[in-house]
Amino acid sequence: MDSANGAKPLRKISEAFEEIANCINSQNQNTQQLELAPFSSACSLVSPLFRCLGIAFKFAEMDYVAKVNDLCETSKSISTLQSMMEKDIEENCVRKPGSHTRNLLRVKRGLDMVRVLFEEILVSEDNSLKNPASKAYTQVFSPYHGWAVRKAVAAGMYALPTKAQLLQKLNEDEVSAKSEMQSYVTASTLLIVYIDNLFQSRELGIDW
């Protein structure tokens, strides 16, 4: 992910999630189904963002990439998020490590972390990413991590790139980045609520 090749990863991310949000908005609340293939494809576009944040989020990158890869592979044989979850429920394996539904919950947290990070960057005038990244981690991941992981992440926060360095890696200027980040925040907020509702409507809970 280098500006040398002219890639616009942030634009690809925002466009992919806008398409998913439009799909959700266009469907009947009672019958809507979300296709797994475009969802997992969009999620895979987010993976490099964790890499850009350096060692503080190395754990998140590795976990997120593994879970997204599982969903991408699963999309070859299962068409929607709903049918994937129903299959796990039938097989009584929802909460077992490696289950697709469990992986979906972890991926959703990764998307949520990026959402909060972007929200904090958008309202910050500071060039440092330490506060935005710390708030995103504390809000989304910290409740599910033990003391040792939290301490390691806190130490890694001092090695974060600056906002300017991050934008350079993403091949964006401040104006274009703000637009793409806001688009992602809006679209992902809708998607995250949608996924939470999938879990809650099946009485699976989301805090595990």
Side-chain angles (χ1 to χ4, degrees), residues 16-17 46 55 57 67 79 82 142 153 156 159 162 166 179 189 195:
F17 281 90
V46 178
I55 194 169
F57 288 93
K67 272 42 173 190
S79 59
Q82 286 83 351
S142 182
V153 171
T162 63
L166 177 64
S179 175
T189 298
I195 294 174

Side-chain angles (χ1 to χ4, degrees), residues 29 192-203 206:
Q29 186 70 30
I192 289 162
V193 171
Y194 178 89
I195 294 174
D196 282 347
N197 286 338
L198 291 181
F199 279 83
Q200 301 286 27
S201 65
R202 289 163 177 77
E203 298 183 351
I206 56 173

Side-chain angles (χ1 to χ4, degrees), residues 24 26-34 80 82 194:
I24 293 172
S26 67
Q27 295 177 355
N28 183 287
Q29 186 70 30
N30 296 320
T31 61
Q32 61 183 208
Q33 299 272 313
L34 187 59
T80 67
Q82 286 83 351
Y194 178 89

Side-chain angles (χ1 to χ4, degrees), residues 39-47 62-74 103 107 111:
F39 169 78
S40 56
S41 176
C43 292
S44 69
L45 297 174
V46 178
S47 301
M62 294 173 64
D63 188 61
Y64 180 86
V65 168
K67 272 42 173 190
V68 169
N69 286 344
D70 172 71
L71 297 183
C72 287
E73 190 63 28
T74 303
N103 288 346
V107 168
L111 300 178

Side-chain angles (χ1 to χ4, degrees), residues 17-132:
F17 281 90
E18 280 179 352
E19 285 185 18
I20 292 174
N22 289 337
C23 179
I24 293 172
N25 279 328
S26 67
Q27 295 177 355
N28 183 287
Q29 186 70 30
N30 296 320
T31 61
Q32 61 183 208
Q33 299 272 313
L34 187 59
E35 291 187 12
L36 183 55
F39 169 78
S40 56
S41 176
C43 292
S44 69
L45 297 174
V46 178
S47 301
L49 283 175
F50 289 103
R51 196 174 311 130
C52 287
L53 295 172
I55 194 169
F57 288 93
K58 185 65 178 176
F59 76 96
E61 178 196 349
M62 294 173 64
D63 188 61
Y64 180 86
V65 168
K67 272 42 173 190
V68 169
N69 286 344
D70 172 71
L71 297 183
C72 287
E73 190 63 28
T74 303
S75 71
K76 297 176 182 178
S77 58
I78 299 177
S79 59
T80 67
L81 271 67
Q82 286 83 351
S83 54
M84 179 185 77
M85 295 175 73
E86 294 300 336
K87 187 172 185 292
D88 281 350
I89 291 170
E90 288 174 10
E91 296 176 359
N92 197 31
C93 66
V94 168
R95 295 202 177 203
K96 291 182 179 178
S99 86
H100 306 313
T101 301
R102 187 176 187 273
N103 288 346
L104 172 61
L105 185 60
R106 269 53 180 180
V107 168
K108 184 215 73 169
R109 286 181 190 148
L111 300 178
D112 201 19
M113 196 286 296
V114 174
R115 178 189 66 81
V116 178
L117 175 67
F118 283 179
E119 282 182 337
E120 294 299 325
I121 290 175
L122 287 168
V123 298
S124 173
E125 297 297 328
D126 198 343
N127 191 39
S128 171
L129 293 182
K130 186 175 181 297
N131 284 338

